[in-house]
Amino acid sequence: MLLKEFAMKLQGFKVGLARSTIWPVGYVVPRFLLIVVFWLVFFGGPVNAKLAQERRENARICPGDLEVLVKLLVRDLPGYANREFRRSKIEVDKSRSSYLVIAGRPEFEALPLGVGRSEKPVSDDEPRQVFITTLERVYVRGEVVQLQGYHWLFLTEIEGGWRLVMMFSRMGGYPTMGPVSPPRDSSNGAIAGAVRAWLRDCRAGSVRG
């Protein structure tokens, strides 16, 4: 019944075209064109809608694979970190402002945490180690200083995603390396805050893939 009604509609469509001043009198719509129109009307719309929905769902899934997750993290980290920098400038030190230019070079080879301990986690509950590098531009009383940061992240997987347990950082000059600062606990710093905010958004499905 549905096909019969559609055939009648196409017949009307064909007659309408033949009567149009655009098309020659007596013009007949080719059979292949009728087939194409039929497919687009009854199949093309639902298929395209389903594909679009799948793309949206896949684009908002927080990756469970740590390496895939961290690659997305370093891509978005400058935007998150700069918001944290602006917040800390207002709350802590208005004479100093920082801007994260870029983040990258993630590494996943763990360091041993003690004498006789394995570099790999002994259980699924033990935090995973990730190393990332950042380039910051710091403005202090009209002067500009560029700093390269080396960050050692400890991440653990929880229900629904990953979270940051703690972080250590070292800072050095750029482009001339110079002396690098000793490792310090930066778990409450702006970069760590940016990492936590990104992970929270990722778990909530707000990060594009």
Side-chain angles (χ1 to χ4, degrees):
M1 188 66 180
L2 184 61
L3 293 177
K4 184 177 180 180
E5 291 178 359
F6 180 70
M8 293 175 65
K9 290 182 180 180
L10 288 182
Q11 185 65 24
F13 175 72
K14 179 176 68 175
V15 172
L17 288 180
R19 292 176 179 174
S20 172
T21 56
I22 300 176
W23 300 90
V25 177
Y27 178 84
V28 178
V29 178
R31 183 181 298 274
F32 80 88
L33 182 57
L34 300 181
I35 296 174
V36 170
V37 172
F38 175 84
W39 190 93
L40 289 175
V41 170
F42 287 94
F43 298 101
V47 170
N48 291 334
K50 184 177 180 180
L51 290 175
Q53 181 180 1
E54 290 178 352
R55 291 193 190 101
R56 288 193 298 268
E57 290 175 353
N58 292 336
R60 298 296 179 180
I61 294 177
C62 193
D65 182 90
L66 183 61
E67 295 191 13
V68 176
L69 180 89
V70 172
K71 288 179 181 179
L72 295 177
L73 168 63
V74 297
R75 178 199 67 186
D76 298 338
L77 190 58
Y80 279 79
N82 290 329
R83 285 192 288 272
E84 291 291 329
F85 283 144
R86 286 193 292 270
R87 187 177 299 113
S88 63
K89 177 184 177 181
I90 294 174
E91 296 176 354
V92 181
D93 187 358
K94 295 183 179 181
S95 66
R96 172 191 172 107
S97 62
S98 299
Y99 178 80
L100 186 62
V101 180
I102 192 172
R105 295 177 60 187
E107 297 182 8
F108 303 91
E109 185 176 352
L111 293 177
L113 300 178
V115 178
R117 294 196 59 177
S118 170
E119 297 179 2
K120 297 182 179 180
V122 296
S123 69
D124 294 337
D125 296 332
E126 187 169 334
R128 297 280 300 277
Q129 301 179 41
V130 177
F131 302 85
I132 62 173
T133 303
T134 59
L135 179 62
E136 297 179 28
R137 189 174 293 138
V138 182
Y139 301 86
V140 183
R141 297 181 180 86
E143 296 185 0
V144 180
V145 179
Q146 293 196 113
L147 299 174
Q148 188 161 323
Y150 308 90
H151 308 283
W152 184 13
L153 288 68
F154 290 82
L155 300 168
T156 186
E157 191 170 15
I158 60 174
E159 184 177 357
W162 293 81
R163 70 180 181 90
L164 180 68
V165 178
M166 64 176 63
M167 190 174 88
F168 295 90
S169 300
R170 305 181 69 184
M171 305 299 294
Y174 183 87
T176 303
M177 177 69 69
V180 180
S181 67
R184 62 178 179 84
D185 186 348
S186 56
S187 302
N188 296 319
I191 301 296
V195 171
R196 289 192 177 95
W198 187 91
L199 291 173
R200 182 178 60 249
D201 287 349
C202 190
R203 292 193 300 269
S206 302
V207 173
R208 63 183 177 87

